Amino acid sequence: MIRSGLRNPHPGRHAAVWSGWILAFACADATATHSAFGPYISIQVYVDAAGQNITGDAANEPTMAINPLDPGNIVIAWRQFDSVQSSFRQGGWAHSQDGGSSWTFPGSLTPGQGRSNPVIDVDAQGNFYFQSLRFDEQGIYIEDIQVIKSTDGGRSWQEPVFAHGRGGDKGQLAVDRSGGIGDGHVYVNWRETGDDYCFTRSIDGGASFELPVGIPGNPSFGTMAVGPEGELYIAGRLEPSEWDEETQNRNHYRHIFSKSLDARDPDSIPTFTTRTVDIGGPAPLFNFRNNPNRYGPVGDVQVDVDRSNGPLRGNVYVLATVDPPGEDNLDIKFVRSSDGGETWSAPIRVNDDEPNKDSWQWFGMMGVAPNSRIDAVWYDTRDSGSYNVSRLYYAYSWDGGATWSKNVPVSQPFDTTIGYPHASQKMGDYSTLVSRRDGASVAYTATFNGEQDVYYLNVFPDCNENGVSDVLDIEQGRAGDADADHIPDSCETTPLAGDLDGDGDIDRLDIDLILAVRNQSASGPDDPRDIDKNGTIDALDARKLTLSCTRPRCAAE
């Protein structure tokens, strides 16, 4: 079991305390562009030229990608409402060249055009691709799905390219960065009603798209991921054939998983197989019992793949918000497959709160880091006891999702039922997480300013609670990792043999504890100072312990 002894520096508090905190925070600065909670700082993305909040607007459904050639170059896009009084949305975007510390918001990608459901991804050469639904000139119905390309780090964008010209909904996009025969392929799928033709691809870098093909089950309200060998995976919901207006559970769908092994082949017409996946509960689309997202979904089904060169390479992971049995409202559940989706693990509950009728975990986000760590972030009401007040919580796994870290809050609380654009009445449909080696980047919507704004947040594993990523602590010698499991030894539940002072390291201080009593008899067969177990604590024990030092030259610092 990982980190069962990890401490939570911010235990839950009474709902009234949280409510007062929210009010005090909102009144302190109505135009704040940064919101800090411990070491985690949410930075507003949708800001004016002076870096200040733009009042009277709204923004939701943020999507994000990071340039693989320049990790400091991040692009975030969203549904942009210039006025909270209007339901007209455009494609807003911002770019950062300093790893998310500051943002440039140039405006909408195509001013005056209605756009929704944006999704961004990036190819191996650092070209960004923006997919969205485009509305007719009156902004009433979806006319087509378009993809727009940027070759300069998201600073400017080319002319839109039609990916699908017959409407559609909930478009998704993924780009192959596998280095194989499909490298650079741009994949688009969408929710289609009436037929199963819901997938297309571009094999020429987004310059054109092929005729659409079908996917059995037409997975909807989900995401796509490309595996290390160019395999294409899609996870989503299987929608019922009829919408039952009378049944309260009409929003409960099944989870499904589709894959294609030939979409990567430019000479083949893509084909897919689909199977049902048990993620530990029905797949709610809307939660009609005090929905924290009002008239919006509770989050997209997440899929991602381990692309490392380690032992978990190729593992496929699915995470989703489910409606568990009993009075508990919503949970974040996770399953994994080590055989390309043919078989799946038993469902694992990621959120570690006690089941409660006033607890909603929703808008789950997931990513897999290059070093195989799985990151998960979600909206959570556990601390407020109210469906309308959420905050972000974070957990991670180093063992392929078999066990998860203790959940930690990473944002201030905020009311998700305020700041709605006119007629929208929701926080959008999703938020986005992209895992990095030392942490994860999150793009999410919050109402810290009393309106919907988009924020960038860097989260990271920090089991020793020093405000620095455990990955960096280990790499830079601030923490030992004797068993090479990515977890600082000081966080392990099993004491490190030879760590006589219990600080999680073997260093000069431990050797000194032996030398201070050298040539004395051991207190018994289990005396940790008697390294060679010969019954005497002597210089030989000190020399042997030196070979186990976890710091260079056994340095104490």
Side-chain angles (χ1 to χ4, degrees):
M1 177 68 68
I2 292 181
R3 297 171 297 277
S4 61
L6 178 59
R7 301 178 303 279
N8 181 2
H10 308 292
R13 297 170 172 85
H14 192 275
V17 176
W18 285 119
S19 299
W21 192 355
I22 296 169
L23 180 60
F25 184 81
C27 294
D29 185 352
T31 59
T33 58
H34 289 59
S35 175
F37 186 80
Y40 303 105
I41 302 176
S42 296
I43 302 172
Q44 191 173 341
V45 173
Y46 182 13
V47 292
D48 64 19
Q52 300 301 307
N53 179 58
I54 302 170
T55 60
D57 60 2
N60 56 40
E61 293 185 2
T63 175
M64 173 177 52
I66 301 175
N67 189 337
L69 302 181
D70 178 10
N73 177 203
I74 308 174
V75 179
I76 294 178
W78 59 85
R79 293 201 314 170
Q80 176 185 323
F81 300 81
D82 288 342
S83 170
V84 74
Q85 302 301 320
S86 171
S87 59
F88 180 70
R89 59 271 206 196
Q90 302 178 79
W93 103 97
H95 59 86
S96 174
Q97 309 301 324
D98 56 12
S101 295
S102 62
W103 293 88
T104 299
F105 165 57
S108 64
L109 276 82
T110 54
Q113 288 189 354
R115 294 190 177 275
S116 190
N117 293 128
V119 178
I120 281 184
D121 204 355
V122 63
D123 65 24
Q125 286 69 49
N127 300 307
F128 289 88
Y129 298 84
F130 169 95
Q131 177 276 158
S132 77
L133 314 177
R134 185 179 72 92
F135 287 82
D136 67 307
E137 292 183 0
Q138 288 73 40
I140 298 174
Y141 66 90
I142 299 168
E143 191 165 279
D144 49 52
I145 300 173
Q146 296 182 344
V147 173
I148 311 175
K149 183 176 182 178
S150 172
T151 60
D152 60 2
R155 295 175 178 87
S156 65
W157 299 83
Q158 299 176 357
E159 290 298 312
V161 174
F162 291 92
H164 177 58
R166 289 195 304 106
D169 186 24
K170 291 291 297 179
Q172 286 288 332
L173 177 142
V175 181
D176 188 323
R177 297 189 295 274
S178 67
I181 60 172
D183 192 86
H185 285 187
V186 181
Y187 302 118
V188 177
N189 87 292
W190 57 91
R191 175 175 175 259
E192 187 67 76
T193 56
D195 59 49
D196 289 332
Y197 292 96
C198 56
F199 175 85
T200 185
R201 70 177 177 180
S202 170
I203 61 175
D204 56 11
S208 63
F209 285 82
E210 300 174 342
L211 292 174
V213 299
I215 301 176
N218 189 1
S220 64
F221 293 93
T223 54
M224 288 192 290
V226 179
E229 308 301 330
E231 319 94 310
L232 179 61
Y233 302 111
I234 304 175
R237 297 175 174 89
L238 178 65
E239 296 193 53
S241 58
E242 295 182 0
W243 186 264
D244 185 351
E245 294 290 347
E246 301 300 324
T247 303
Q248 184 71 13
N249 290 333
R250 63 185 181 271
N251 58 318
H252 284 175
Y253 306 157
R254 289 181 290 168
H255 294 98
I256 57 176
F257 172 83
S258 302
K259 72 175 181 179
S260 174
L261 299 180
D262 53 18
R264 59 192 170 191
D265 184 354
D267 296 324
S268 296
I269 297 175
T271 59
F272 290 83
T273 59
T274 297
R275 67 177 62 234
T276 301
V277 178
D278 176 14
I279 311 185
L285 179 55
F286 300 96
N287 182 42
F288 288 98
R289 294 174 296 176
N290 297 328
N291 188 2
N293 197 27
R294 194 65 179 271
Y295 298 127
V298 294
D300 285 345
V301 182
Q302 305 278 303
V303 63
D304 209 348
V305 191
D306 188 309
R307 304 174 186 86
S308 73
N309 292 319
L312 301 180
R313 177 181 173 89
N315 274 11
V316 185
Y317 307 119
V318 174
L319 177 144
T321 297
V322 305
D323 188 0
E327 67 175 7
D328 193 12
N329 277 294
L330 299 174
D331 279 335
I332 303 297
K333 292 290 188 73
F334 168 92
V335 293
R336 66 183 182 277
S337 173
S338 59
D339 56 10
E342 294 301 310
T343 60
W344 295 87
S345 70
I348 296 171
R349 186 176 186 259
V350 178
N351 52 291
D352 59 8
D353 62 319
E354 291 296 325
N356 187 288
K357 66 179 179 62
D358 295 319
S359 184
W360 289 259
Q361 283 78 34
W362 57 292
F363 262 25
M365 299 162 265
M366 180 186 67
V368 183
N371 51 9
S372 293
R373 186 190 64 255
I374 308 170
D375 298 297
V377 171
W378 61 91
Y379 288 49
D380 198 312
T381 71
R382 73 176 72 176
D383 295 321
S384 69
S386 170
Y387 75 92
N388 61 341
V389 178
S390 289
R391 66 190 315 182
L392 293 193
Y393 262 77
Y394 170 56
Y396 54 91
S397 173
W398 283 110
D399 58 5
T403 57
W404 290 80
S405 70
K406 186 175 181 63
N407 302 172
V408 294
V410 292
S411 82
Q412 296 279 0
F414 52 93
D415 190 335
T416 60
T417 64
I418 63 173
Y420 290 135
H422 175 69
S424 179
Q425 299 294 293
K426 62 180 180 179
M427 297 283 286
D429 291 356
Y430 50 84
S431 292
T432 305
L433 178 150
V434 177
S435 290
R436 312 181 318 274
R437 180 182 54 82
D438 59 339
S441 296
V442 180
Y444 75 105
T445 302
T447 60
F448 300 127
N449 293 321
E451 61 185 24
Q452 287 187 3
D453 293 310
V454 171
Y455 289 85
Y456 171 83
L457 172 64
N458 173 34
V459 299
F460 45 87
D462 184 23
C463 76
N464 56 15
E465 301 173 13
N466 68 347
V468 179
S469 168
D470 294 337
V471 176
L472 298 180
D473 275 342
I474 292 170
E475 290 180 352
Q476 298 171 8
R478 289 185 296 271
D481 183 19
D483 52 3
D485 64 351
H486 305 283
I487 305 168
D489 294 328
S490 60
C491 298
E492 302 280 17
T493 56
T494 302
L496 181 63
D499 178 19
L500 303 181
D501 59 5
D503 66 352
D505 294 296
I506 301 175
D507 54 24
R508 182 67 193 180
L509 298 178
D510 299 299
I511 296 171
D512 288 344
L513 291 175
I514 291 178
L515 295 176
V517 294
R518 63 183 180 275
N519 299 324
Q520 295 185 18
S521 297
S523 61
D526 296 325
D527 191 326
R529 299 169 297 178
D530 183 14
I531 305 299
D532 57 11
K533 301 302 179 184
N534 67 351
T536 302
I537 304 169
D538 52 27
L540 293 177
D541 294 308
R543 292 174 188 172
K544 189 169 184 179
L545 186 59
T546 299
L547 300 177
S548 301
C549 282
T550 58
R551 294 180 180 274
R553 298 183 296 280
C554 292
E557 293 184 359

